[in-house]
Structure formats: C-alpha cells, structure tokens
Amino acid sequence: MKIKNSILVVLAILMVSSTAMAAQGDKENGKKIYEKRCVWCHSKDGTGNGPAAPFLNPPPRDFTSGMYKFKTTQFDEILPNDENIFRMIADGMPDSSMPGWKDILKEKEMWDLVAFIKTFAGLEGKPKKQIDFSKQVKSSKESIERGKKLFIDRCSECHGEEGRGDGGKKLKDDWEARTWPRNLSKPWSFRVNNDPKEIFARITAGIAGTQMPSFADPASKKKLSDEERWDVANYAASLADASKTIKEGSTVVKAKRVSGSLPEKADDPKWQEAEPTNFYLIPQIIAKERFFTPSNNSIRARAFYNDKEIAILLEWDDRTKSIPGDEKAAEVSLDGQVFEDGAAMQFPVTIPEEMEKPYFGMGDAAKPVNMWYWKSGTKDAPQAVKLLNATGFDKKEERNAAKAGLKAEGVYNKGTWRVVMKRPITTSEKDKDIQFVEGKFIPLAFAVWDGTNSEKGSKHTMTTWYWLFLKPEAGVYVYAMPVIVALLVLGGCILTARNSQKKG
Ligand code: HEC
Ligand code: HEC
C-alpha cells in the first residue's frame, strides 16, 4: 500500500509539473517555431493546406477544426488533454508523414507549440470529461475470447474478421479524404500504439473526424460497457502478427534448397518451412505518373528451390480484392472504378559481379531487367502472369511467359494476397532471362498494385532493390568455400606477380 501511495505521489508530481509546463506554454514562441517547422504541411493558417499537403495521405491535420484524433478525453468532450497533443508532436505518428520532434525541439518548445496550435480553433480551458481507465480488465485468455465475439459484432464491418482492415467499406473522413481502417495485425503502423489502454481510449472516444465511432456513447446502438471495451481492446491487441515485423537491416530473401518438389499452391503449409523476410513498400514517386496515396505498406517473401526450379511466395495485405467487373469490388472503390490487383518482381537479366546494385527503377540500356508481373484477373478473364524485359520505365518488351516456363498463382483470403511465382532455374534464352545460380546475391525488387485504390501502370507501391540468395546446402557450401578462397588468393598472387613483373 505504501509503495502504491508513493508511486501515486510521484505520478501526481509529474502530472503537476507537466501541467505546469503546459500552462506555461508560450503561444508567441510557439508561433515562431510553428512558422519555421510546421507550415510546410499544416500551413500558416493552420488549415492543413501547406505546400506539401497535396502529396500526403493521410492529409495534415486541420487545426482550425479543433479536432484531435488521438485523445484521452471523452467522446463528448471537445478539448483534448494538452498531453495528448504534446505526445503526437514529440513522438510523431507512425505510417503517416507526421514526424516526431523530440530529437529536434526542446520540451519547452513543444509545449509552446501545443499552446499555439490550440489558438487556431480558439481552444481554451481544461477538458472536464476524462476517459476513466480505472476499471481495466487485464488481458487473459477469457477476456480475449469475450473480446473476439464483440469484435466480430462491432468492429469487423470496417476492420475485417481478422483485423486486416478488409471490412469492405468505403470510408471518407470529415475532410473528404479516403480513410482506411487500420490493419490491426501491423501494430507498427498504429498512429499511437497497440497497448490495450490506448486501444481502449480509441474505442471509448472514437477517432474524431473519421468514421471510427465511440463505443461509449449511450446514444449509440453499438454501445459497449466499460468491461466489454477492455475485452475488445485486449482482443484487438492480440491481433498483432509479429511475423510481419520488418527487421532493420534484413535485406535478403533466403531461398531454401529442397530435394523434392516445390509447393505449387500459395496456401501449401510447407511454405512455413521457408524463412520469411518483410520489406517496406513505398509509393512510386521516381517516374511519372507519380503516386502519393498508398493503401498498403509492406510485403513478405519466402523462397524454395531445387535442381530444376525456383518458387517464390509473395504475401501482402490488401484490404480489397480488386476484380474489375465485380460489383462488390466496385462498391469499395471511391469512384466506382476498379483495376486489377497485381504484384511484380524484378531481376537483372545478368547477375552483377560483387554486391553492386546499379539498378534504379526498371534498369537501363546496358542493364536490362526481367519483370514477372502477376495480375489478379477480371470477372471475365482469369488471373495471369506476364514476362517483360525492360531497359527503362517506358521501354518494356513483352515476352512469352509460357516459353520461359514462368507460372504464377494467387489466392485471396481475409485481407491477404498470397501469390506463388515459379520458373525453371535456367532457360533457353540465356541472354534474355536471368539464369539463377546458387550462392550469389541476386538483386530483387518488388512492386504491388491495389486496383481499388486507383493503382494502375506507374501508380503503385514498390520496394527498393534487395537481394535473393539461393542458399546452398550447408555441406556443399562448407566444402566449396575453402576452394573458392584458395582460388581467389592464388588468383590474387598471380595478378600481383604479373603487375610487379610489368613494373619491373
Ligand atoms: C511532413 C508533413 C508534416 C509536418 C512537417 C508536420 N506535420 Fe503534423 N501532421 C502531419 C500529418 C500528415 C498529420 C495527420 C496524421 C493522421 O491523421 O494520421 C499530422 C497531425 C498532427 C497533429 C494531430 C494529432 C491528433 O491527435 O490529431 C498535431 C498536433 C501535429 N500534426 C502537430 C505538428 C506540429 C506542431 C508540427 C511542427 C513542429 C508538425 N505537426 C509538422 C504532417 C506533418
Ligand atoms: C465504421 C468503421 C469503423 C468501425 C466500426 C471501427 N473502426 Fe477502428 N478505425 C476505423 C478507421 C477509418 C480508422 C483509421 C482512422 C484514422 O487514423 O484516420 C480506425 C482506426 C482504429 C485503430 C487505430 C489506432 C491507432 O493508434 O492508429 C484501432 C486500434 C481501431 N480502429 C480499433 C477498433 C475497434 C477495436 C473497433 C470495434 C470496437 C473499431 N475500431 C471499429 C474505422 C472503424
């Protein structure tokens, strides 16, 4: 009890001191910092229409609206806590362009900013209605079970059955921008984080300006009790899928050698035996027409190979299965227009010596690339894969995929596409197709299209160049290595000897 009390005292002191800081926030100084740091996005008049705004999705907040999305005050309380605004300024908002400022600005300067940006909407005084966190239900198997039922009933219409944001709703925020329900399996893309306490705050207050409602509002038919909201928050937090985490510095898809046949189907459980690697997808902004409003942010790859073939499995979350001609697909599209979903891999036709990555975009005249381009099909045409050779963004030649032995097949399930692409290790057109070899780092890049999000042609998401590595069986590698090293050393000696002879 004593310990608890002293913690409370420390907390109280901390709160008083930060509140004191907040109260001290100097609007005039805040204005100066704002005009230096924030206007590019939020604009001088605070409307969110800064010069960078047309290129940002989600758009920068309009401070004149007085709406703050991520607050810990009640749904019917307009004012956020100063600490809520401070936190977003200090930490930034993941998976949006809002940067964190705590490494650049002093704490006092950030409180000054809080005081200043509130003036855009004339927000004054202290908020009265706070969210009550005191009845927290600790996460447990039972709580998660209860939460799951509530989630299916209340949240899945937007967030989808397993939380990947694939409820199939067309949502717009109060400023007419398209919004996507968060993919709860990727907590690293939450604007705040997936601590059950934070999720509880989001579902209690709702997310202002968006269609994510409050589930505490007694006027709502969907109202949930305090305990129910904790249960559903515990469940939502449990949806985090650690296997989708993008590891810093992880740049290689390691293809596993097998002696038998390779899995044909994308949902073959055998794929679990191949090590997955996750990569960030970024919008394509190198070539015209540029693209700034992606709906997806990551892709995962794994690979198997044997003597004859290589198979690569691509998995990415896509909230919408985009089949042109399909009525359901058209319903989710903002303008009713739907293009095919797609995924592509790019390889250099010739594997470069050493670990150089000279390629940018789609290769150049000296360094052509192969593109394996899978498309999800239309209502009348089945899915298909194309083989293209490119020597630049607008220099593409379509080749015969069947002749090269390239095959692809995809399945869509609950917000995730899984596509297997397969090709023989070597082909007959050696000067036109990449010939895969063991033990070399082979440049590889990915691209993804979400057809319900107007993604077509050059408008898509992509990765930078990474590597594919066909991992030789340990035995072979261990034996081969000393020989290679010996040859290199020997080669080096001969060269040095020749050089010194020449000089002499
Ligand atoms: C590169 C663009 C960019 C810059 C620069 C920028 N912001 Fe933001 N900011 C955004 C975007 C985008 C959002 C909305 C993100 C969302 O809704 O998910 C945002 C949202 C916010 C929010 C809203 C938090 C909430 O809960 O609703 C605050 C507060 C904020 N920014 C403050 C600032 C301040 C202060 C600065 C300058 C120190 C700044 N921003 C600079 C892009 C930017
Ligand atoms: C009518 C659609 C809708 C419903 C119903 C809905 N959400 Fe959301 N949710 C959204 C949208 C849209 C966003 C993204 C808002 C934004 O950041 O602009 C979102 C965002 C979130 C976030 C992200 C918070 C963060 O830090 O980024 C969480 C967590 C969440 N919702 C949980 C839930 C739970 C749990 C339920 C059910 C109790 C629920 N939502 C019901 C539409 C909905």
Side-chain angles (χ1 to χ4, degrees), residues 58 69-70 150-151 154-159 169 171 179-182 184 189-193 199 202-203 207 210-213 215 222 224 232-233 236:
K69 284 186 181 175
F70 302 100
L150 297 165
F151 185 89
R154 303 294 212 282
C155 321
S156 65
E157 59 170 304
C158 294
H159 288 281
K169 276 216 159 166
L171 301 175
T179 48
W180 294 105
R182 198 80 70 247
L184 304 176
S189 68
F190 281 31
R191 301 293 183 270
V192 189
N193 63 51
I199 302 179
R202 301 298 85 79
I203 57 188
I207 299 182
T210 79
Q211 279 167 308
M212 162 97 185
F215 291 88
K222 305 206 160 154
L224 296 169
V232 87

Side-chain angles (χ1 to χ4, degrees), residues 362-374:
M362 294 184 190
D364 54 44
K367 296 183 179 105
V369 297
N370 278 160
M371 271 179 79
W372 301 358
Y373 185 8
W374 169 89

Side-chain angles (χ1 to χ4, degrees), residues 37-38 41-42 56 58-61 63 67-70 85 88-89 93 96-99 101 105 113 117 191:
R37 307 277 188 184
C38 322
C41 297
H42 292 283
L56 306 177
R61 190 73 68 258
F63 296 131
M67 273 194 258
Y68 289 86
K69 284 186 181 175
F70 302 100
I85 307 180
M88 295 327 247
I89 298 174
M93 299 166 77
S96 88
S97 54
M98 170 66 191
W101 296 92
L105 299 173
L113 280 165
I117 62 175
R191 301 293 183 270

Side-chain angles (χ1 to χ4, degrees), residues 58-175:
R61 190 73 68 258
D62 165 9
F63 296 131
T64 64
S65 73
M67 273 194 258
Y68 289 86
K69 284 186 181 175
F70 302 100
K71 63 192 184 86
T72 54
T73 57
Q74 270 296 357
F75 69 92
D76 53 352
E77 168 66 71
I78 291 166
L79 292 173
N81 288 308
D82 284 351
E83 288 75 12
N84 302 150
I85 307 180
F86 179 88
R87 175 174 66 173
M88 295 327 247
I89 298 174
D91 296 342
M93 299 166 77
D95 209 32
S96 88
S97 54
M98 170 66 191
W101 296 92
K102 64 178 169 221
D103 296 334
I104 297 165
L105 299 173
K106 296 196 191 85
E107 193 173 337
K108 167 81 171 65
E109 292 175 314
M110 293 190 281
W111 286 118
D112 294 347
L113 280 165
V114 172
F116 173 66
I117 62 175
K118 287 203 303 181
T119 64
F120 282 120
L123 300 182
E124 272 174 27
K126 290 229 122 286
K128 293 192 183 68
K129 299 180 204 164
Q130 298 290 339
I131 292 179
D132 175 9
F133 293 99
S134 69
K135 297 185 201 115
Q136 177 159 14
V137 177
K138 276 242 157 65
S139 186
S140 66
K141 223 177 123 220
E142 295 72 33
S143 167
I144 289 174
E145 273 303 309
R146 291 192 299 267
K148 182 174 181 177
K149 290 198 191 87
L150 297 165
F151 185 89
I152 300 287
D153 192 53
R154 303 294 212 282
C155 321
S156 65
E157 59 170 304
C158 294
H159 288 281
E161 230 175 281
E162 293 182 8
R164 296 193 195 98
D166 56 316
K169 276 216 159 166
K170 181 161 63 181
L171 301 175
K172 275 189 182 180
D173 67 12
D174 288 6
W175 298 271

